[in-house]
């Protein structure tokens, strides 16, 4: 059995080379391989037309983020990518994945070992009753339309751009921690390396260069979606305008998040 | 009689006003020195902070970015069932591997038991929270017992990590069991 497979593997390589030589693959490959080596600056655009926009704000687009809880498998690809992108210090999380377990008696158990960075290898064994419902909930910055963190910042270090991103100016931040207290979603933390407040930015630097946020890019099951609500053909527009169960976290806070959840249960906070 | 109490000289008032103006002027000067140039350009923040954030280095590429230098693996990956799985999730960020178009270091590859752990991170049945619609799952060691092999077999002995069903389908084709997807 193993020998057959090994032989098949080398056959496959030969077949590949034969196909390239005969032109079956070469044609398509040449189309997709740009001339010269690829670098991080010239990766094919994922958000079309983004690289033509050079104004300070992209107000013609209205970005939204959707997390589909009914698809998330809790693999932690997003957490790994996020840590790599920002070199986030250990123990701090710009995005994380929570595991919810709800038992027969309606008790809710939530855990998130190391923020989901190592994935979930073991089931929860400490639940006394039969499990009624269990699912993963990825969390990240809600990019509120009315951000309370911006309101409380005394030095103008955290701010909202005209196109709706809530960002942090690390050069001005004095790490007073008011914003951390003010955020209803607990997405902010003091980064021990920079000694300033830090949080998820929906990968503003990638988006402005035409790439998807890194967590959206790596999600293997499309549980995370990012797009432009002004584009009626976009997936996010379609989801938010369909009779799905779409909701936001803590609507009572009045922050109006631009992060939406599909399939959110009422137990999730 | 009243007039005797009212001083005719206003010099002390002028002094106070002068001091106030001086303090105000100093305040404005200090503020101009301390405030960054672009503060208030767009709102109550430093306008050039947007540019700073925009210029943050990109460290992760995309799956497409590995294609130029690894065409064989990328093509296989693209045609297989793992085409949505990120190369960089299994191997690490591109910035640790390539800089200015040149390879600066090798990316790590999981080996042995680590591969099993990696696969089970996504495919482990025992984690019940995973929706069946998203992913096909297996239980260990049942998956190997069903195949009648020793349970210390590693996943990549039967599944090509980059296109897990490729060998399975090729083997099926040889035995004549059919199989269409890769």
């Amino acid at each position: 059995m193993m020998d057959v497979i090994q032989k098949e593997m080398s056959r496959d390589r030969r077949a590949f080379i034969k196909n390239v030589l005969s032109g079956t693959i070469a044609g398509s490959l040449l189309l997709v391989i740009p001339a010269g080596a690829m670098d991080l600056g010239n990766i094919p655009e994922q958000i079309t037309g983004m690289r033509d926009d050079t104004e300070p704000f992209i107000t013609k687009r209205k970005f939204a983020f959707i997390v589909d809880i009914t698809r998330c498998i809790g693999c932690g690809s997003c957490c790994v990518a996020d840590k790599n992108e920002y070199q986030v210090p250990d123990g701090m999380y710009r995005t994380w994945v929570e595991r919810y377990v709800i038992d027969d008696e309606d008790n809710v158990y939530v855990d998130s070992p190391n923020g989901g960075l190592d994935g979930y290898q073991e089931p929860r064994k400490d639940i006394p009753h039969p499990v009624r419902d269990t699912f993963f909930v990825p969390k990240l910055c809600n990019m509120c339309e009315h951000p309370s963190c911006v309101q409380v910042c005394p030095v103008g270090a955290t701010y909202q751009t005209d196109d709706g991103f809530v960002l942090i100016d690390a050069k001005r931040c004095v790490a007073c921690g008011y914003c951390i207290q003010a955020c209803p979603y607990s997405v902010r933390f003091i980064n021990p390396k920079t000694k300033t407040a830090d949080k998820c930015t929906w990968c503003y630097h990638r988006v402005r260069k035409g790439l998807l946020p890194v967590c959206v890019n790596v999600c293997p099951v499309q549980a995370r979606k990012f797009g432009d609500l002004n584009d009626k053909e976009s997936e996010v527009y379609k989801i938010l305008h369909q009779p799905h169960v779409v909701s936001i976290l803590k609507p009572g806070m009045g922050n109006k998040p631009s992060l939406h959840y599909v399939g959110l249960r009422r137990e999730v906070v | 009689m009243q007039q005797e109490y009212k001083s005719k000289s206003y010099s002390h008032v002028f002094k106070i006003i002068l001091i106030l103006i001086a303090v105000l002027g100093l305040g404005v000067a200090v503020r101009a020195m301390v405030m960054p140039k672009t503060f208030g350009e767009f709102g109550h923040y430093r306008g050039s902070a947007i540019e700073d954030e925009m210029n943050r280095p990109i460290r992760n590429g995309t799956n497409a970015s590995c294609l130029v230098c690894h065409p064989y693996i990328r093509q296989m990956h693209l045609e297989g069932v793992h085409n949505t799985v990120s190369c960089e999730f299994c191997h690490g960020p591109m910035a640790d591997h390539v800089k200015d178009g040149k390879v600066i270091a090798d990316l790590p590859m999981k080996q042995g038991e680590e591969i099993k752990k990696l696969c089970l991170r996504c495919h482990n049945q025992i984690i019940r929270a995973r929706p069946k619609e998203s992913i096909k799952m297996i239980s260990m060691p049942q998956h190997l017992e069903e195949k009648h092999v020793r349970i210390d077999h590693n996943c990549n002995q039967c599944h090509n990590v980059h296109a897990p069903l490729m060998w399975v389908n090729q083997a099926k084709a040889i035995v004549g069991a059919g199989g269409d997807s890769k």
Side-chain angles (χ1 to χ4, degrees), chain A residues 118-133:
Chain A
D118 311 322
Y120 290 85
Q121 300 281 350
E122 294 292 328
R124 271 192 82 145
K125 297 195 180 91
D126 54 343
I127 291 159
H129 306 284
V131 172
R132 165 166 75 77
D133 195 5

Side-chain angles (χ1 to χ4, degrees), chain A residues 2 12-13 39-40 43 70-73 75 81 84-85 117 119 121 134 169 171-172 206 209 220, chain B residues 36 45-46 50 52-54 58-60 62 68 72 75 84 100 117 121-122 129-131 134 157 170:
Chain A
M2 248 47 269
D12 199 84
R13 272 182 207 260
D39 204 7
L40 288 163
I43 301 165
T70 65
R71 293 204 61 82
C72 180
I73 59 171
C75 65
N84 285 336
E85 184 77 12
L117 203 56
Q121 300 281 350
T134 166
D169 179 357
K171 290 203 183 122
R172 281 198 70 73
R206 292 176 71 91
K209 293 185 184 124
Chain B
Y45 58 93
R46 194 170 58 93
I50 296 178
D52 289 358
E53 186 64 46
M54 222 182 316
I58 291 178
R59 291 187 32 84
N60 282 278
T62 60
V68 202
Y72 173 71
Q75 195 65 24
T84 58
D100 302 326
K117 203 173 162 201
R121 215 174 145 150
C122 294
R130 298 201 167 118
S134 289
Q157 287 183 272
Q170 285 171 347

Side-chain angles (χ1 to χ4, degrees), chain A residues 56-72:
Chain A
F57 306 114
I58 312 298
T59 38
K60 66 168 187 257
R61 299 179 198 248
K62 185 171 169 21
F63 288 115
F65 203 118
I66 299 180
V67 172
D68 188 344
I69 290 177
T70 65
R71 293 204 61 82
C72 180

